[in-house]
Amino acid sequence: MGKTTGFLEFERKDEGYKPVKKRIQNYKEFTKPLKEDELKNQGARCMDCGIPFCHSGCPLGNLIPDFNDAVYQGKWEKATKILHSTNNFPEFTGRLCPAPCEEACVLGINEDPVSIENIEKNIVETAFKNNWIIANPPLNRTNKKIAIIGSGPAGLAAAQQLNRAGHIVTVFERDEKPGGLLRYGIPDFKMEKNVIDRRLKVLEDEGILFKTGIHVGVDIKADDLKIEFDAVVLCGGATIRRPLPIEGSELKGVVQAMDFLPQNNRRVDGIKDLGEEILATDKDVVVIGGGDTGSDCIGTSIRQGAKSVSNFEIMPMATENRPTNQPWPFWPMRLRTSSSHKEGAERYFSISTKRFIGNKEGELKGLITSEVEWEMVPGQRPVLKEVPNSEKEWKCELALLAMGFTGSETTLADQFGLEIDARTNIKASEKNYKTNIDSVFVAGDQRRGQSLIVWAISEGRQAAHHVDSYLMGTSNLPLKGEGDLPRV
Ligand SMILES: Cc1cc2nc3c(=O)[nH]c(=O)nc-3n(C[C@H](O)[C@H](O)[C@H](O)COP(=O)(O)OP(=O)(O)OC[C@H]3O[C@@H](n4cnc5c(N)ncnc54)[C@H](O)[C@@H]3O)c2cc1C
Ligand code: SF4
């Protein structure tokens, strides 16, 4: 795999970024790709380590050493086939995955790991450039009809797999365009939306029907789906936002991130009628929440021309290196600094927002925080303690709440009579993704809770296998770890 001595000869090289001043002028992606020779050297760093822990680090079970080797040898078409045998949408993961595979890379024990995610992105981009990714409709149809509810990465992956098995697949989406959080959560500067559109065209050409602007449970009821379809796969995501029920949270200017980000993505898409506009322009902005959503709010606020952007995180600042109690090959909780963080935001850790302050007109003007400490008692959950006399007032006209999601909506679960867990996610075992109701399956964030794109694709693929088995008695759709190595 790779070049036997590649990891000794070549250092890790990541793609570059356009300078901050330039990239914040617009919402376009701003990475600077490596040259082909440089990419081959990156593939060459994969070191034939015997047991490729990266396989198990990747929720899709991507055949990483095999595509690294193909890239090193310049066999891009072969690499494309290997990659697509386990991952329907490497253009999404190659841009957006936090790359748990790289944390599990054996070279990462004492060197920089192989740049797997970037290799993945370049394989799929080379493939699109060369028109290797074209519709591949099934030769025969089973005439079994399947409804997929939700068109995020889980729904799209399930749809493509089930269509490949010859079933007649309809994807229902309540938004105006398919894509889920890929389209209306994640900003264009992380992934431009033509990346979704080009893949959707392939799915449509393969025969998948997309019905957008339809809110299932409202426009169509569960009983109608049961009559019309042989199986239903729920992929509605975990959409219930975590609130911040403190004094002043009703003020104008205290806004949920998932009202702010989708509105901006629609603005970038050229939509004019956006309702009441939420803009960071010329404002002191505080983003509450230090995860992906918070980071996306920072990048968006900066592009809108915020006066200042501060980011609050209630947890203590993690270390940049892997903590000793989270050894390789596990995913470590370390400090992650995104490109948006580097665009001019100040980050504050161990800080809790106590109340918002408004003026007579009910507009947000500031907020009060206190410092916090986490008391660790072995065997118990950490306890949050306020540091005495640590209150501080901040000027702020826009506070963006980016504290994650507490669970999924229950309308459809109620209509179908589905069991839900304590977080209102729909219950289904990872063994077969089947709910307590026959013919109803669930995958992605709606089953596992707020998670990652790579997990959503993985769950969509796994669920598709089990839906196919349920309908046909057996399935040839691959499960995780059943990728295919073409002899090209
Ligand atoms: C701002 C933000 C940034 C993120 N950044 C990253 C990142 O960089 N990397 C990463 O790996 N993950 C990221 N995530 C997480 C990732 O986007 C999700 O884990 C992933 O999209 C979940 O996929 P899904 O298909 O399960 O659901 P979603 O992507 O949430 O899609 C669900 C879809 O179902 C539709 N729907 C719901 N109910 C109905 C209904 N009743 N009728 C019709 N349609 C319905 C919704 O409109 C939506 O389109 C981010 C999340 C957010 C919010
Ligand atoms: S999908 Fe994510 S975890 Fe899997 S190989 Fe790609 S970057 Fe790594």
Side-chain angles (χ1 to χ4, degrees):
M1 297 299 149
K3 186 179 183 189
T4 322
T5 53
F7 69 101
L8 297 170
E9 289 174 43
F10 309 114
E11 304 223 315
R12 177 177 169 124
K13 191 163 185 197
D14 291 303
E15 55 183 7
Y17 291 153
K18 289 189 181 148
V20 172
K21 266 194 183 163
K22 263 205 170 157
R23 71 190 194 224
I24 62 169
Q25 303 297 320
N26 58 52
Y27 290 90
K28 296 215 173 304
E29 289 181 23
F30 48 80
T31 49
K32 294 202 275 189
L34 299 185
K35 296 194 186 82
E36 183 170 354
D37 276 358
E38 292 173 315
L39 285 162
K40 284 184 182 176
N41 292 347
Q42 293 306 300
R45 292 185 74 235
C46 190
M47 58 180 194
D48 195 8
C49 53
I51 298 176
F53 282 83
C54 52
H55 277 196
S56 44
C58 172
L60 287 158
N62 274 352
L63 303 172
I64 296 162
D66 302 280
F67 66 62
N68 282 339
D69 185 47
V71 166
Y72 161 56
Q73 294 186 42
K75 295 183 176 171
W76 291 90
E77 197 167 359
K78 179 178 179 185
T80 303
K81 288 188 178 158
I82 297 169
L83 183 53
H84 280 85
S85 74
T86 54
N87 187 354
N88 300 63
F89 313 122
E91 65 275 32
F92 305 157
T93 46
R95 286 174 169 77
L96 300 164
C97 190
C101 55
E102 294 184 17
E103 296 288 3
C105 171
V106 174
L107 185 54
I109 296 174
N110 60 346
E111 290 282 342
D112 288 332
V114 176
S115 49
I116 301 165
E117 185 189 8
N118 191 38
I119 289 175
E120 185 174 331
K121 174 176 156 186
N122 280 280
I123 294 169
V124 65
E125 289 307 320
T126 305
F128 271 110
K129 227 178 274 163
N130 286 288
N131 290 324
W132 295 332
I133 298 177
I134 50 169
N136 189 11
L139 295 177
N140 300 303
R141 290 284 175 191
T142 62
N143 289 332
K144 301 278 185 198
K145 293 171 80 184
I146 299 169
I148 309 241
I149 318 303
S151 65
L156 295 180
Q160 188 170 41
Q161 293 299 93
L162 287 164
N163 186 64
R164 281 176 180 163
H167 305 306
I168 299 168
V169 179
T170 306
V171 179
F172 292 93
E173 171 55 57
R174 64 184 169 197
D175 284 333
E176 60 272 38
K177 289 186 182 177
L181 289 174
L182 298 171
R183 188 181 295 277
Y184 293 114
I186 290 159
D188 287 58
F189 56 80
K190 267 168 66 180
M191 186 172 76
E192 287 175 30
K193 304 313 166 201
N194 57 15
V195 173
I196 310 173
D197 295 336
R198 120 191 125 170
R199 183 62 80 166
L200 285 174
K201 168 90 175 64
V202 176
L203 300 192
E204 278 170 344
D205 290 349
E206 287 179 344
I208 297 169
L209 182 64
F210 288 91
K211 291 195 172 181
T212 53
I214 296 184
H215 190 169
V216 180
V218 178
D219 304 321
I220 306 178
K221 296 282 168 29
D223 282 345
D224 304 325
L225 293 179
K226 278 194 220 157
I227 294 165
E228 205 182 320
F229 294 93
D230 298 291
V232 177
V233 192
L234 302 175
C235 300
T239 47
I240 309 287
R241 305 110 178 239
R242 190 183 301 284
L244 186 57
I246 57 172
E247 190 183 322
S249 57
E250 75 293 346
L251 290 166
K252 190 166 182 286
V254 181
V255 175
Q256 275 285 351
M258 284 309 290
D259 288 327
F260 176 68
L261 294 173
Q263 185 185 84
N264 201 63
N265 285 11
R266 288 189 166 89
R267 188 179 287 117
V268 174
D269 194 25
I271 308 291
K272 295 278 176 276
D273 183 11
L274 294 167
E276 191 168 343
E277 296 226 79
I278 312 162
L279 286 166
T281 319
D282 297 329
K283 290 180 184 154
D284 291 302
V285 177
V286 172
V287 178
I288 302 175
D292 272 341
T293 309
S295 161
D296 292 347
C297 287
I298 294 171
T300 304
S301 299
I302 287 171
R303 281 164 183 72
Q304 288 186 356
K307 204 191 291 174
S308 72
V309 183
S310 307
N311 186 203
F312 295 172
E313 169 57 54
I314 200 162
M315 299 303 290
M317 185 157 105
T319 54
E320 285 200 25
N321 295 324
R322 183 186 277 281
T324 46
N325 64 347
Q326 296 163 35
W328 176 91
F330 297 108
W331 174 255
M333 300 305 288
R334 60 164 117 195
L335 182 70
R336 295 182 198 269
T337 301
S338 71
S339 55
S340 293
H341 290 132
K342 292 179 183 159
E343 289 171 356
E346 289 292 336
R347 298 168 87 183
Y348 301 88
F349 295 85
S350 301
I351 186 167
S352 169
T353 307
K354 293 184 74 179
R355 59 182 183 277
F356 295 108
I357 308 164
N359 62 12
K360 277 197 302 246
E361 286 72 40
E363 294 161 333
L364 178 70
K365 288 291 155 195
L367 52 83
I368 305 286
T369 60
S370 64
E371 290 168 32
V372 290
E373 281 173 351
W374 290 89
E375 199 176 273
M376 302 294 182
V377 184
Q380 289 177 28
R381 292 171 75 103
V383 181
L384 185 68
K385 296 233 158 133
E386 192 177 319
V387 176
N389 305 318
S390 64
E391 276 201 1
K392 182 173 171 185
E393 184 170 338
W394 305 71
K395 202 165 168 291
C396 166
E397 291 96 31
L398 180 65
L400 296 169
L401 310 183
M403 299 169 303
F405 301 82
T406 58
S408 73
E409 293 164 41
T410 54
T411 316
L412 268 178
D414 292 344
Q415 285 182 15
F416 276 113
L418 304 179
E419 286 174 11
I420 55 174
D421 65 18
R423 301 185 132 231
T424 74
N425 297 313
I426 294 172
K427 271 194 189 172
S429 133
E430 228 171 291
K431 272 197 195 136
N432 60 9
Y433 294 80
K434 197 149 166 275
T435 67
N436 57 307
I437 299 291
D438 223 27
S439 81
V440 181
F441 295 74
V442 58
D445 281 9
Q446 193 158 26
R447 191 192 77 81
R448 60 186 293 118
Q450 177 193 6
S451 185
L452 295 171
I453 293 157
V454 63
W455 272 114
I457 299 172
S458 173
E459 294 226 340
R461 290 172 64 88
Q462 297 286 107
H465 173 96
H466 293 293
V467 174
D468 189 31
S469 290
Y470 164 79
L471 293 172
M472 309 304 288
T474 175
S475 176
N476 289 328
L477 292 176
L479 285 166
K480 182 177 167 182
E482 294 181 351
D484 199 14
L485 292 181
R487 315 224 174 282
V488 179

